[in-house]
Amino acid sequence: MKNIRNFCIIAHIDHGKSTLADRLLEYTQTVKVTEGQMLDDMDLERERGITIKSHAIQMEYNYKGEKYILNLIDTPGHVDFSYEVSRSIAACEGALLVVDASQGVQAQTISNLYMALEHDLEIIPVMNKCDMASAMPEEVEDEIINLLGCKREDIIRASGKTGMGVEDILQAVVERIPHPVGDESAPLQALIFDSVFNSFRGIIAYFKVVNGVIRKGDKVKFFNTGKEYDADEVGVLKMDMIPRDELRTGDVGYIISGIKTSKEVKVGDTITHIARPCDKAIEGFEEVKPMVFAGVYPIEAEDYENLRASLEKLQLNDASLTFQPESSLALGFGFRCGFLGLLHMEIVQERLDREFDMNVITTVPNVSYMIYDKQGGVQEVHNPGGMPDPTLIDHIEEPFIDASIITTTDYIGPIMTLCLGKRGELVRQDYISGNRVELHYKMPLGEIVIDFYDKLKSISKGYASFDYHQSGFRPSKLVKLDILLNGESVDALSTLTHFDNAYDLGRRMCEKLKELIPRQQFEIAIQAAIGAKIIARETIKAVRKDVTAKCYGGDVSRKRKLLEKQKKGKKRMKQIGTVEVPQKAFLAVLKLD
């Protein structure tokens, strides 16, 4: 056990975590690196150049004549996947904190660092991209020292591209990171930190052994669900899965036990023996809190059950996704899903399409509201379609959050303007160190759901970090904004919005839909309405066919007769014709600005 080291790599987006991981794999001769980012094995990750999933891999390293086993977990940097990071941290004893030498310490660096410190991990600061012309090693070292309070010589200068400093990193991992502590003779306790679905072998759970030993063929049970299984195969994770006869305390590996239903595997659960169970489960996982809710509907109604199965399989691999069934007038049966943010929503939609061949429609994202009627009853509404008639409503309460934004003093002005525009109230501001300031705001959750985070990032050049927790409900002046096409309401496009924003939003939605809905043979009226009152309108002109082309000369009544006939046809078409709203339109409404 004393020769095992478990560590993860944490950093802000684009600070070179995956490239550095490639160099470590290459240096320890675990794998021949044939292309960049070997651990990012999903097509989506390759295309977008981001890490979406944490990836675990085992390396062997000889140091001073001894063989060490290093278990590395490469983690995502984007805030929407911070739950992946928190789970990886729970399975490690140390972390490489990677900071880009040309960009310095950034928001996600700080929030991931705090997460690691809460779990008492040993932090090794690494300054990456030191070979770049734009690198500012001295300034960035000062920032890291300010942040961590470490010595200057503790910071390793490295480059994921050239491989500089890689040996220093491996030596630091062996010397500085403590080996796992645990009792091999105690009852088995293993923490599940991830799982994947394999169509041949069932569900494969990845775990870290905290106490005890697990052997092939053992009878095991999952602590929280209480289900019992045989360990058909256990092993370690290299680029492929490599079976072993046993895994001892401190090892990270996988277990295949022929589990078929995804509900039985919960990330954060504890595996133990049936014969000699442990007393309690391992602590260390908080429940995930979705920020954004949106309806996900199959395009073909008969795909509903397939969509449910696909979501369950996806949830195994992405524990931060939550869903429950719901139905809509326009779209039929589907699911109300909870996501951590808009990028997360986009990725889930892409993965459903690619991995499970599910073509889905996603509605406008929103949050849940409390609606009080005049009889004193109360109901929780997740989507605007479920709202009672406006005449019966006494008042509506919306969820508020306590937000804290960490930024440098240069960006306070624009950030305050942004928060005020989102109906935020400044509670206080604290100066942390140097030119760094923390702003505390009370804000409605509904306002930050759609584009707040993206705007915050662009205003502050990626430097502001944003964290929040819910602080309860408050009464608000909210109205339901409906979109009508030829007088018929499209419930998937209706939103709940604050009265002050309604007129502006209604007008912008109509303009956007006018661009996106294809022209038909008949005229289409797009209207935005609050209750019975129309507040905006755009008209899509009909595609005209020139029916008078065959008349040349002759009496004008011949032309008029043809035009009248056409007019009647158009009128009839408008009564029975339906307007298809393309998927692009649903997504464009989210990006309205």
Side-chain angles (χ1 to χ4, degrees), residues 1 24 38 49 67 94 115 138 243 250 261 272 343 360 379 386 398-399 436 554 586:
M1 189 161 72
L24 293 172
M38 290 293 286
K67 193 173 99 175
M115 224 187 285
E138 305 301 327
T261 48
T272 185
L343 176 69
V360 294
Q379 69 183 88
E398 64 175 335
R436 303 262 305 278
F586 288 109

Side-chain angles (χ1 to χ4, degrees), residues 15-17 20 98-102 126-130 156 158-160:
H15 281 204
K17 297 179 288 298
L20 196 62
V98 178
V99 180
D100 184 331
S102 58
V126 175
M127 190 162 59
N128 197 16
K129 306 193 187 180
C130 287
I156 300 172
S159 160

Side-chain angles (χ1 to χ4, degrees), residues 547-591:
V547 287
T548 58
K550 61 186 179 194
C551 296
Y552 47 94
D555 189 8
V556 74
S557 58
R558 290 176 60 202
K559 284 187 179 177
R560 193 166 296 138
K561 181 180 156 195
L562 289 168
L563 288 169
E564 285 296 326
K565 190 174 162 194
Q566 184 187 30
K567 193 173 170 184
K568 275 186 193 148
K570 294 261 187 208
K571 191 175 171 187
R572 194 163 61 245
M573 211 187 262
K574 187 170 179 174
Q575 281 167 350
I576 58 169
T578 54
V579 184
E580 284 291 309
V581 183
Q583 172 69 21
K584 279 208 306 255
F586 288 109
L587 290 173
V589 173
L590 319 184
K591 300 196 169 73

Side-chain angles (χ1 to χ4, degrees), residues 194-205 222 255-265 312-313 316:
D194 205 353
S195 53
V196 292
F197 180 79
N198 180 314
S199 44
F200 303 108
R201 323 257 343 231
I203 290 156
I204 304 170
F222 288 5
I255 177 170
I256 298 176
S257 46
I259 306 170
K260 295 288 183 289
T261 48
S262 42
K263 285 204 180 67
E264 295 175 21
V265 179
E312 281 178 357
K313 287 173 190 167
L316 278 175

Side-chain angles (χ1 to χ4, degrees), residues 15-49:
H15 281 204
K17 297 179 288 298
S18 300
T19 312
L20 196 62
D22 283 358
R23 293 294 84 74
L24 293 172
L25 295 179
E26 205 168 46
Y27 194 89
T28 55
Q29 290 160 2
T30 306
V31 62
K32 223 172 137 53
V33 176
T34 48
E35 53 184 326
Q37 277 85 17
M38 290 293 286
L39 293 177
D40 291 352
D41 49 10
M42 220 188 292
D43 300 343
L44 263 176
E45 295 181 312
R46 291 267 160 92
E47 280 166 31
R48 291 174 177 240

Side-chain angles (χ1 to χ4, degrees), residues 360-405:
V360 294
I361 288 182
T362 317
T363 63
V364 182
N366 60 4
V367 296
S368 52
Y369 296 92
M370 291 294 192
I371 296 183
Y372 291 81
D373 58 29
K374 291 181 174 161
Q375 279 73 44
V378 58
Q379 69 183 88
E380 189 176 355
V381 171
H382 287 290
N383 83 6
M387 270 186 70
D389 190 86
T391 52
L392 305 173
I393 297 174
D394 182 49
H395 67 278
I396 302 176
E397 291 190 353
E398 64 175 335
F400 265 70
I401 56 168
D402 290 328
S404 77
I405 299 169

Side-chain angles (χ1 to χ4, degrees), residues 312-423:
E312 281 178 357
K313 287 173 190 167
L314 191 57
Q315 196 177 29
L316 278 175
N317 198 244
D318 181 352
S320 45
L321 172 70
T322 58
F323 63 91
Q324 59 196 53
E326 74 160 6
S327 64
S328 137
L329 293 173
L331 301 169
F333 289 100
F335 295 92
R336 169 86 12 202
C337 298
F339 307 98
L340 293 183
L342 280 195
L343 176 69
H344 185 209
M345 179 168 126
E346 213 173 298
I347 297 288
V348 166
Q349 208 173 333
E350 278 275 301
R351 287 184 69 183
L352 280 173
D353 183 26
R354 293 185 185 200
E355 295 171 27
F356 305 103
D357 225 14
M358 290 302 310
N359 214 341
V360 294
I361 288 182
T362 317
T363 63
V364 182
N366 60 4
V367 296
S368 52
Y369 296 92
M370 291 294 192
I371 296 183
Y372 291 81
D373 58 29
K374 291 181 174 161
Q375 279 73 44
V378 58
Q379 69 183 88
E380 189 176 355
V381 171
H382 287 290
N383 83 6
M387 270 186 70
D389 190 86
T391 52
L392 305 173
I393 297 174
D394 182 49
H395 67 278
I396 302 176
E397 291 190 353
E398 64 175 335
F400 265 70
I401 56 168
D402 290 328
S404 77
I405 299 169
I406 300 178
T407 175
T408 52
T409 44
D410 316 351
Y411 305 117
I412 292 184
I415 287 177
M416 285 186 161
T417 315
L418 172 69
C419 293
L420 287 172
K422 298 283 185 189
R423 300 190 282 133

Side-chain angles (χ1 to χ4, degrees), residues 12 15 104-113 406 436 453 457 460 462-466:
H12 191 79
H15 281 204
V105 172
Q106 290 190 301
Q108 243 23 63
T109 319
I110 299 165
S111 56
N112 287 344
L113 169 70
I406 300 178
R436 303 262 305 278
Y453 196 78
K457 278 279 173 263
S460 62
Y463 207 100
S465 74
F466 171 69

